[in-house]
Amino acid sequence: MYKELRREAFEANREIPRQGLAIYTFGNVSALDRKAGVFAIKPSGVAYDDLTADDMVLVDLEGKIVEGKLNPSSDTPTHRILYRAFETVSGICHTHSCYAVAWAQACREIPVFGTTHADHVAGNIPLTEVMSDEAIKNNYEEETGNQIVRLFTGLDPNEVAMVLVACHGPFAWGASAAKAVYNARVLEELAKMACLTETINASARPIKGTLIEKHYQRKHGKDAYYGQGKE
Ligand SMILES: [Zn+2]
């Protein structure tokens, strides 16, 4: 059971160090079988080189471990909350990639400084508020998920598939685990470009709305014409 799901989560986790998104055991990816209400996630504290597909832990959307010998990632409750709230999402990736973390630690949204950014997200990369003491002490990982969900009131997780958690780091998601890692990698690149932009020009401003719309819509709009057809 869930062999394919385990394999999908495993492959996506292996992609994290390949893409330079984390060192040691930082970061985790999960893959959801929405129909079964079960997701496969990286075990806690196991180095990427030592991982096998069989090590993936299967957890249901209530938080119960369905299968697995190892403890799931400590961030599992965050993944669970996001899957419950974002119904089209079937893959989630959390890393501590350097530039995205730098913006999260600076407690700043990433401004949409250029068309590379607008190709993926038609606005700033959103940032959560700093968590309250009460939330930190109670259900820290669950509250991290709740904070993201609250921030997305009025935001479409299909259009903005990435977020910065203040003082912590990035979460990204997508229709599959592979797509979630892709978005995490895109976010890291956008974070780096924005950082360099401000280094070169401290008073750089976001690009104008027409340019944002042009770039976002030609790739994602109903009349998208970028690439070789709809994904
Ligand atoms: Zn983390």
Side-chain angles (χ1 to χ4, degrees):
M1 277 276 273
Y2 303 117
K3 193 161 178 257
E4 220 14 74
L5 195 64
R6 264 207 209 89
R7 161 79 33 197
E8 189 193 341
F10 167 68
E11 297 289 352
N13 274 288
R14 296 275 285 188
E15 197 61 16
I16 289 184
R18 280 189 202 131
Q19 292 297 335
L21 293 173
I23 56 168
Y24 299 118
T25 62
F26 299 9
N28 44 71
V29 191
S30 65
L32 172 74
D33 179 335
R34 174 75 56 185
K35 243 168 108 188
V38 169
F39 60 97
I41 191 163
K42 182 180 176 289
S44 184
V46 179
Y48 293 103
D49 280 347
D50 301 333
L51 275 185
T52 69
D54 283 341
D55 291 335
M56 297 300 122
V57 186
L58 294 160
V59 183
D60 71 17
L61 291 178
E62 310 302 320
K64 198 167 104 309
I65 294 179
V66 175
E67 235 176 81
K69 297 178 284 290
L70 301 167
N71 291 328
S73 160
S74 50
D75 294 315
T76 300
T78 314
H79 289 240
R80 186 172 71 80
I81 297 289
L82 294 181
Y83 281 135
R84 288 177 69 120
F86 299 161
E87 284 171 5
T88 53
V89 168
S90 293
I92 294 171
C93 176
H94 171 53
T95 78
H96 286 199
S97 64
C98 189
Y99 284 88
V101 163
W103 285 90
Q105 290 183 168
C107 292
R108 286 191 57 195
E109 294 185 343
I110 302 175
V112 52
F113 278 140
T115 62
T116 322
H117 181 135
D119 278 338
H120 296 93
V121 178
N124 292 357
I125 307 300
L127 168 84
T128 68
E129 296 197 343
V130 175
M131 203 183 285
S132 70
D133 290 350
E134 204 191 335
I136 293 168
K137 286 178 193 157
N138 288 330
N139 289 303
Y140 176 65
E141 290 82 6
E142 243 180 68
E143 288 298 337
T144 301
N146 289 334
Q147 262 200 319
I148 296 170
V149 172
R150 273 199 302 275
L151 182 67
F152 272 71
T153 314
L155 270 180
D156 183 344
N158 300 306
E159 291 179 3
V160 183
M162 50 191 78
V163 69
L164 300 174
V165 175
C167 311
H168 181 171
F171 280 81
W173 50 79
S176 65
K179 193 75 193 184
V181 176
Y182 170 88
N183 283 328
R185 180 68 187 89
V186 166
L187 171 56
E188 178 62 6
E189 199 70 4
L190 300 180
K192 184 176 181 179
M193 288 175 177
C195 179
L196 292 172
T197 302
E198 285 201 347
T199 306
I200 297 166
N201 178 3
S203 53
R205 289 281 164 268
I207 53 173
K208 53 190 178 180
T210 42
L211 195 51
I212 295 173
E213 274 307 296
K214 182 68 193 168
H215 270 264
Y216 187 77
Q217 293 301 332
R218 71 176 195 159
K219 217 171 166 182
H220 306 281
K222 68 174 172 48
D223 299 318
Y225 58 88
Y226 174 89
Q228 303 300 321
K230 286 254 178 201
E231 277 173 56

